[in-house]
């Protein structure tokens, strides 16, 4: 009986270690290339329009997480090879030409995201 | 265990129908417009019919169940909720029942111990599970007002804001979603865990639970997992609320599963045990005042009794009575 408990304990420890390893993302760390400041191509969005309409919140949440961990190294590469800094300012760089860009849909759908708790809303800019 | 798996299979088949219909045959109009309208029509008509049927039954006596001191002499304390004396007190008691499941709070559980000794103890789990389930469903339902109104009422906005209080994920996580799933799990497990409960549970007990579970899961996966186009959905729902027959835009089949299962629930509602939603207001053991000593209750279908009073008798036989020497009241 003692032997079995030890075995179960070892398995749990191994699983915890594996979980910790995966959670830190140590195995996926790639040598981050030097941040060459590729200027964003402002004619096409990072994903197709249909995808962005339904999934933009997920992209923004991912970006927020990566930017918080990797800071200025947080870049995303689109399938066609363009590079974008993961930053809300990258989005607003193009999308602030219409200051109601976020709000027209969010108001219609009665969605109140918490982006502007910290970030300055385009509507609040002079 | 057929009676558990059959409803599960039925819900699975029901959720496949709109998926196949919309994804492969483009029947968005059928599942997005026609079926929801039919379902609401059947729901309203069925609900009204059931209520009319119950309301038209006479309730000749007050058969209030009481568990407290009824209204009596001034110096005896009257328990207004346990033994209501007026209509308002009875109404308050019904509302306490509806909103807080007051009598379920008194639920007890009997256990046979060695001895043999029978022990009773308070059992609040069903009360808690039921309360969590019903309140979550109510709040989730109210939250859906954002699809039917341009600007939902302030109460609904407050509920919505409280519900996403934790701000866990980016389409904000609603705590009622988690609570309703936990409550459904408990309510199903409660019927499966105990042998007595397994025996008395029927297919019709499991089916609504699985159906509501399916609706909740489809709704949650639209919000948290596979994102759908909310704008097209809102446009469709606003159209439905305005009784318009415009074709829906391109919406993910997942939404149609959610809508179709909700339509099935609406149709199923008036013909099933789910009618307890309306029936609880009509239960004569709860909604009547315990005033049988104060007020005379006459059974409305009793035949009119022809009484013959003594004065009438005397009027008929006065002369004969006088002749026989019997005393009369009037001369």
């Amino acid at each position: 009986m003692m032997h079995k408990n030890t075995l179960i304990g070892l398995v749990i420890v191994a699983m915890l270690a594996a979980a910790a390893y995966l959670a830190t993302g140590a195995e996926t760390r790639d040598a981050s290339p030097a941040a060459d400041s590729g200027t964003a191509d402002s004619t096409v969005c990072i994903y197709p329009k249909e995808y962005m309409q339904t999934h933009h919140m997920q992209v923004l949440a991912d970006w927020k997480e990566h930017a918080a961990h990797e800071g200025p190294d947080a870049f995303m590469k689109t399938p066609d090879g363009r590079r974008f800094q993961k930053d809300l300012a990258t989005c607003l760089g193009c999308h602030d030409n219409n200051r109601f860009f976020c709000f027209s849909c969010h108001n219609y759908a009665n969605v109140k995201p918490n982006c502007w708790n910290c970030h300055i809303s385009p509507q609040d800019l002079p | 265990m057929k009676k558990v798996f059959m409803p599960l299979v039925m819900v699975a088949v029901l959720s496949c129908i709109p998926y196949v219909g919309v994804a492969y045959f483009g029947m968005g109009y059928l599942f997005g417009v026609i079926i929801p309208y039919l379902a609401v029509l059947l729901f309203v008509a069925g609900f009204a019919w059931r209520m009319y049927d119950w309301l038209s039954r006479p309730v000749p006596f007050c058969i209030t169940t009481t568990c407290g001191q009824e209204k009596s002499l001034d110096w005896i304390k009257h328990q207004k909720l346990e033994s209501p004396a007026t209509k308002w007190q009875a109404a308050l008691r019904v509302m306490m029942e509806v909103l807080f499941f007051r009598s379920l709070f008194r639920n007890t559980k009997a256990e046979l111990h060695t001895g043999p000794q029978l022990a009773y103890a308070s059992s609040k789990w069903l009360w808690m599970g039921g309360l969590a389930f019903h309140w979550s469903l109510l709040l989730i339902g109210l939250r859906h007002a954002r699809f039917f109104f341009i600007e939902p009422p302030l109460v609904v906005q407050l509920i919505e804001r409280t519900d996403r209080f934790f701000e866990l994920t980016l389409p904000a996580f609603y705590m009622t979603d988690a609570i309703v799933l936990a409550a459904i799990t408990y309510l199903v497990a409660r019927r499966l865990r105990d042998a007595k409960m397994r025996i008395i549970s029927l297919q019709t007990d499991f089916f609504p639970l699985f159906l509501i579970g399916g609706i909740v899961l489809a709704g949650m996966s639209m919000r948290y997992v596979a994102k759908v186009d909310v704008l097209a959905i809102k446009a469709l729902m606003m159209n439905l609320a305005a009784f318009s027959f415009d074709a829906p835009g391109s919406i993910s089949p997942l939404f149609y599963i959610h809508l179709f299962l909700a339509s099935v629930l609406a149709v199923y509602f008036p013909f099933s045990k789910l009618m307890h939603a309306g029936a609880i207001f009509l239960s004569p053991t709860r909604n009547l005042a315990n005033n049988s000593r104060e007020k005379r209750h006459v059974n409305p279908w009793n035949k009119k009794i022809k009484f013959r009073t003594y004065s009438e008798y005397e009027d008929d036989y006065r002369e004969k009575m006088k002749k026989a020497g019997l005393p009369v009241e009037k001369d």
Side-chain angles (χ1 to χ4, degrees):
Chain A
M1 209 34 155
M2 204 57 208
H3 186 66
K4 193 178 157 197
N5 284 347
T6 317
L7 206 63
I8 292 173
L10 279 175
V11 169
I12 290 174
V13 168
M15 282 166 72
L16 280 176
Y21 180 71
L22 289 173
T24 55
E27 91 294 354
T28 53
R29 177 148 305 148
D30 49 351
S32 83
D36 59 307
S37 52
T39 47
D41 175 6
S42 63
T43 51
V44 191
C45 200
I46 51 168
Y47 289 113
K49 188 181 170 188
E50 291 70 34
Y51 182 83
M52 285 308 280
Q53 266 174 0
T54 53
H55 288 71
H56 60 276
M57 69 297 270
Q58 207 171 314
V59 172
L60 284 168
D62 286 350
W63 278 28
K64 183 193 83 177
E65 212 156 275
H66 288 174
H69 285 123
E70 296 163 25
D73 285 350
F75 272 88
M76 99 154 254
K77 209 165 180 187
T78 56
D80 54 352
R82 293 170 296 139
R83 281 162 61 83
F84 289 94
Q85 172 89 45
K86 289 182 177 173
D87 191 338
L88 189 62
T90 310
C91 303
L92 294 178
C94 305
H95 290 299
D96 72 347
N97 54 0
N98 173 7
R99 66 195 318 194
F100 300 108
F101 180 75
C102 299
F103 305 99
S104 57
C105 299
H106 284 166
N107 284 351
Y108 179 65
N110 295 304
V111 178
K112 294 185 183 66
N114 57 0
C115 311
W116 319 119
N117 291 4
C118 310
H119 294 281
I120 295 175
S121 147
Q123 270 189 330
D124 292 342
L125 288 175
Chain B
M1 284 290 92
K2 195 180 145 223
K3 65 186 181 186
V4 184
F5 286 112
M6 270 308 284
L8 200 58
V9 171
M10 273 154 72
V11 173
V13 170
L14 283 173
S15 38
C16 287
I17 292 172
Y19 183 81
V20 172
V22 174
Y24 297 104
F25 298 100
M27 287 149 84
Y29 194 76
L30 176 69
F31 288 103
V33 179
I34 296 173
I35 287 180
Y37 275 139
L38 282 177
V40 169
L41 191 71
L42 275 169
F43 172 74
V44 172
F47 200 99
W49 174 72
R50 290 295 296 267
M51 292 301 274
Y52 169 77
D53 185 34
W54 283 328
L55 278 167
S56 56
R57 306 292 170 108
V59 182
F61 306 111
C62 68
I63 51 169
T64 325
T65 48
T66 61
C67 42
Q69 174 60 48
E70 80 166 298
K71 188 168 163 45
S72 177
L73 300 168
D74 286 343
W75 44 272
I76 298 176
K77 195 161 185 274
H78 171 215
Q79 291 196 293
K80 293 188 173 89
L81 277 182
E82 313 294 13
S83 180
T86 64
K87 268 185 183 163
W88 285 107
Q89 288 166 8
L92 192 65
R93 184 161 84 141
V94 171
M95 286 323 286
M96 291 292 278
E97 199 65 53
V98 170
L99 296 175
F100 305 113
F101 306 170
R102 203 155 169 274
S103 43
L104 197 55
F105 189 73
R106 302 201 173 99
N107 193 24
T108 54
K109 192 181 167 194
E111 269 176 9
L112 195 59
H113 291 282
T114 47
Q117 193 182 22
L118 189 60
Y120 293 94
S122 166
S123 170
K124 305 253 187 277
W125 284 107
L126 178 59
W127 172 77
M128 273 171 61
L131 212 56
F133 177 72
H134 284 83
W135 273 100
S136 309
L137 281 187
L138 175 66
L139 296 184
I140 292 172
L142 286 174
R143 242 173 39 206
H144 277 69
R146 81 178 172 107
F147 295 108
F148 296 94
F149 294 89
I150 296 216
E151 178 85 19
L154 185 67
V155 191
V156 175
Q157 292 186 33
L158 285 176
I159 288 171
E160 201 262 345
R161 205 184 299 169
T162 316
D163 205 351
R164 60 183 166 82
F165 171 75
F166 290 117
E167 300 275 9
L168 279 179
T169 55
L170 197 49
F173 169 77
Y174 286 130
M175 62 178 115
T176 46
D177 285 350
I179 296 174
V180 80
L181 271 191
I184 289 180
T185 311
Y186 163 72
L187 292 175
V188 173
R190 184 184 77 97
R191 290 191 179 276
L192 295 177
R193 206 173 63 103
D194 185 44
K196 297 189 290 295
M197 287 302 299
R198 268 202 304 278
I199 288 169
I200 63 170
S201 297
L202 305 171
Q203 285 202 22
T204 51
D205 294 318
F206 290 107
F207 180 69
L209 284 173
F210 292 146
L211 188 62
I212 292 172
I215 296 171
V216 169
L217 284 178
M220 282 179 72
S221 48
M222 271 195 290
R223 182 175 175 84
Y224 304 112
V225 189
K227 315 280 196 257
V228 292
D229 187 359
V230 179
L231 296 188
I233 292 171
K234 171 131 187 182
L236 172 63
M237 296 330 275
M238 297 273 287
N239 275 344
L240 290 184
F243 298 107
S244 131
F245 280 87
D246 292 347
S250 80
I251 309 175
S252 152
L254 195 55
F255 166 75
Y256 288 102
I257 296 178
H258 184 71
L259 188 63
F260 183 70
L261 289 184
S263 305
V264 170
L265 183 71
V267 173
Y268 182 69
F269 203 98
F271 307 101
S272 66
K273 70 172 206 168
L274 299 179
M275 265 313 285
H276 69 269
I280 188 160
F281 293 98
L282 306 184
S283 21
T285 55
R286 304 279 150 191
N287 66 9
L288 292 170
N290 179 27
N291 58 358
S292 51
R293 295 188 179 193
E294 253 175 72
K295 212 180 128 192
R296 189 178 140 98
H297 292 257
V298 182
N299 188 347
W301 67 73
N302 276 355
K303 275 188 194 138
K304 280 267 178 284
I305 299 170
K306 179 93 179 72
F307 291 105
R308 185 170 158 84
T309 59
Y310 176 74
S311 54
E312 286 167 356
Y313 173 88
E314 205 186 78
D315 286 345
D316 286 354
Y317 296 107
R318 184 166 293 112
E319 295 310 315
K320 286 179 179 163
M321 287 166 80
K322 276 184 184 165
K323 272 183 200 160
L326 290 171
V328 288
E329 286 185 350
K330 270 200 287 183
D331 267 313

